[in-house]
Amino acid sequence: SATYNYRFSKTFNINANFRSNVKSPEVSQLQNVLDVSNPLFVKIGNPELKPAKENNLTIRLMNRSPEKEHHFFVMLSASKTENYVSNATYIIHSDTLVQQVLVKRGSQLTVPTNVDGYYTVRSFGVYGFPLKCIKSNLNLNLGYTLKNTPTIINYERNNSLNNTFSGGFYLASNISANLDFSLSY
C-alpha cells in the first residue's frame, strides 16, 4: 500500500491511498467434492482456482472553513480485481454422471471459476453549512456506485452492471442547553 497526503492550507487537504491485496479462495471453493444436498442445485469445488488480486485507489478531498462553519468532503474510489472468483453455472440438459453421481436433467451445476473484469467505481460527497435561523447545521450528501460483476452461464460470459445512486441529509441542532434535535434521511 501507499499513501500520499498534501495540505493546500490549514483547512484544505487531499489524501490518496493505493492498496493491493491478494485473496485466496476458500477451502470449500477448492475442494473437488460434489455437493448434492439439493439435487436441483448441485455444487462442486475447483482445485484449479487462482488467488484473486485486488487493486484499489481512493482519493479524498476535504475542506473545512471554521470561520464560516462550512465544510465539504469528496471521495472517489476505484477497484479492479484480476482472477475474481465467480460462479460458472451450467444447466444440465440430459442426465449426466458427475464424479460417479447421476445429476438429473434440469439441475444446475455451479463451479467456482476465475474471471477477469470485476470492478467498482464509487463517489461520495458531503457539504455542510449552518442554518442560523434555527441554530442548526445541515449536511447534504450524494453518492454514486458503478459495479461490474462477471459470471459464466452455460459457457457464456455475463456481466451484471449495477448503478446505485444515494443521497440524504442530516440536520442537527443545539438550540439551547435543554433542547437538541436531529433529523436525517
Side-chain angles (χ1 to χ4, degrees), residues 135-151:
K135 296 182 181 177
S136 303
N137 290 316
L138 179 62
N139 289 306
L140 304 172
N141 66 68
L142 286 173
Y144 172 71
T145 302
L146 173 67
K147 182 177 181 180
N148 184 62
T149 306
T151 59

Side-chain angles (χ1 to χ4, degrees), residues 78-163:
S79 68
K80 182 179 179 189
T81 303
E82 297 172 28
N83 293 323
Y84 174 74
V85 177
S86 184
N87 284 323
T89 301
Y90 306 97
I91 308 300
I92 305 299
H93 295 291
S94 60
D95 293 353
T96 305
L97 277 177
V98 178
Q99 289 187 341
Q100 282 71 41
V101 175
L102 183 64
V103 178
K104 295 285 194 172
R105 181 176 66 91
S107 298
Q108 290 183 16
L109 174 64
T110 301
V111 182
T113 189
N114 293 112
V115 183
D116 286 333
Y118 178 89
Y119 63 87
T120 304
V121 178
R122 293 184 178 117
S123 64
F124 182 75
V126 176
Y127 178 65
F129 55 93
L131 294 175
K132 295 188 186 211
C133 59
I134 58 172
K135 296 182 181 177
S136 303
N137 290 316
L138 179 62
N139 289 306
L140 304 172
N141 66 68
L142 286 173
Y144 172 71
T145 302
L146 173 67
K147 182 177 181 180
N148 184 62
T149 306
T151 59
I152 296 175
I153 299 175
N154 287 337
Y155 304 97
E156 298 270 336
R157 181 187 169 102
N158 291 277
N159 291 302
S160 173
L161 191 61
N162 295 309
N163 292 282

Side-chain angles (χ1 to χ4, degrees), residues 63-72 127-130:
N63 188 27
R64 182 170 180 90
S65 175
E67 62 279 353
K68 293 182 181 178
E69 300 176 20
H70 287 245
H71 63 273
F72 80 85
Y127 178 65
F129 55 93

